[in-house]
Amino acid sequence: MSDQQRVVYVVSDSVGETAELVVRAASSQFNGGDIEIRRIPYVTDTETIEEVVQAAKEENALIAFTLVVPELQQRLIDEATEKQVIYVDIMGPMIDGMASLYKHVPKHKPGLIHKLDEDYFRKVEAIEFAVKYDDGKDPRGLLNADVILIGVSRTSKTPLSMYLAHKRYKVANVPLVPEVEPPDELFQVPPYHIIGLTIDPKQLNSIRMERLKSLGLNSEANYASMERILEELDYAERVMRRLRCTMINVSKKAVEETANLILDILRKRGLIR
């Protein structure tokens, strides 16, 4: 089988993402990870297990599984042992270790890691919202956002949007550029929903120069010139004052720190809990 692509069956009583990630990480250590992964998700019966083991035997394949129901685990192990199929229990040893740590038995309930409850769906919806309305792509989204971030380029608008989206808040962001008039929708939104991001000119100059270098461009381009930066910041401040929105200086602040400031502001305004 030296010239044939290796096959791994990923068997799970949930989605099977965990097992597939582990298989791919391990296979990358062998000739660049040339492997075919066949995921068998939501396994709840022994018949499916028997079929997969038989298929793995015929193809000389390996089985990696994340079955948390003991009866299904044991059936796969018994079948694989009988048919001399190589298998790897990915979750079992970790669950056993956790059982010793917590001093009680696990729930043995499939899919808890991706429990599709209301909270999960809100997070997915918020992330999709942030992606759709990132960088002023569609100003119509501004009217439905929990919070709108505005500022010049490289003031962490997108990272902040994604961070807050993972906290289940719908965030849109709009870049402020002197040559482009802000969308009308921005002026239709109550100012307490808008956060203006400002930054020290010298820090922005440094950030933009590094950005240009990473793109292989000339660091002396107008994008990173101090004259251009001062013009943009002055314009952005005028827009923010027109909007009467709260302004946060993000200089020397990590994304998490700025995000927590924004969340505190929204809580005090009663916009979030």
Side-chain angles (χ1 to χ4, degrees):
M1 194 177 174
S2 58
D3 297 325
Q4 186 177 346
Q5 188 178 47
R6 273 64 174 177
V7 175
V8 176
Y9 282 90
V10 167
V11 180
S12 176
D13 42 22
S14 184
V15 180
E17 287 179 328
T18 303
E20 181 169 345
L21 287 171
V22 173
V23 170
R24 291 197 183 280
S27 67
S28 68
Q29 301 296 318
F30 299 88
N31 298 321
D34 183 20
I35 197 166
E36 179 180 349
I37 296 176
R38 299 176 185 171
R39 198 193 295 188
I40 315 295
Y42 304 115
V43 175
T44 58
D45 60 275
T46 57
E47 289 79 8
T48 301
I49 288 175
E50 292 169 6
E51 292 173 2
V52 172
V53 174
Q54 181 59 37
K57 176 179 174 59
E58 293 172 1
E59 296 181 88
N60 196 22
L62 178 147
I63 297 176
F65 66 91
T66 52
L67 299 168
V68 298
V69 178
E71 293 77 14
L72 295 178
Q73 285 180 5
Q74 196 57 52
R75 188 54 175 268
L76 190 150
I77 291 170
D78 291 344
E79 286 286 321
T81 301
E82 180 183 337
K83 291 183 168 60
Q84 296 184 316
V85 173
I86 304 170
Y87 66 87
V88 179
D89 180 359
I90 291 174
M91 288 284 282
M94 180 58 73
I95 290 176
D96 291 343
M98 288 293 178
S100 298
L101 178 67
Y102 285 109
K103 308 299 183 189
H104 62 75
V105 297
K107 295 179 179 178
H108 295 305
K109 185 176 181 181
L112 287 179
I113 194 170
H114 288 298
K115 188 177 179 183
L116 301 181
D117 56 11
E118 182 181 353
D119 187 66
Y120 176 80
F121 283 120
R122 283 178 58 198
K123 180 186 289 187
V124 171
E125 185 180 7
I127 292 171
E128 291 177 344
F129 187 95
V131 172
K132 185 175 182 179
Y133 300 112
D134 180 46
D135 206 32
K137 289 176 185 173
D138 185 348
R140 292 173 298 180
L142 302 179
L143 303 176
N144 298 314
D146 294 318
V147 61
I148 301 165
L149 306 178
I150 61 174
V152 302
S153 174
R154 313 313 291 179
T155 48
S156 299
K157 295 186 298 298
T158 296
L160 280 167
S161 295
M162 295 309 300
Y163 184 96
L164 292 169
H166 277 84
K167 298 288 186 181
R168 302 176 302 284
Y169 300 112
K170 293 180 179 179
V171 187
N173 71 75
V174 178
L176 297 180
V177 184
E179 294 78 13
V180 181
E181 186 68 21
D184 293 338
E185 288 84 353
L186 191 59
F187 296 91
Q188 298 170 20
V189 176
Y192 48 79
H193 280 283
I194 304 171
I195 301 291
L197 305 175
T198 65
I199 190 171
D200 176 75
K202 291 183 179 178
Q203 183 177 346
L204 183 56
N205 172 253
S206 177
I207 292 171
R208 288 190 174 183
M209 288 181 67
E210 287 300 318
R211 176 60 175 165
L212 290 173
K213 288 179 183 177
S214 70
L215 296 173
L217 300 175
N218 191 331
S219 61
E220 296 179 0
N222 187 48
Y223 176 72
S225 73
M226 186 58 73
E227 181 180 357
R228 173 63 182 182
I229 286 172
L230 290 173
E231 178 189 359
E232 288 187 31
L233 290 174
D234 180 64
Y235 170 76
E237 184 174 344
R238 293 201 306 272
V239 172
M240 293 173 193
R241 293 194 184 285
R242 280 173 59 195
L243 291 166
R244 303 191 310 280
C245 67
T246 298
M247 290 185 274
I248 295 178
N249 192 316
V250 300
S251 304
K252 308 299 182 184
K253 287 186 177 67
V255 169
E256 294 86 351
E257 184 180 357
T258 305
N260 286 329
L261 281 174
I262 293 171
L263 291 175
D264 285 344
I265 291 169
L266 297 180
R267 288 191 191 97
K268 288 176 182 177
R269 293 173 179 172
L271 299 178
I272 65 171
R273 295 180 180 178

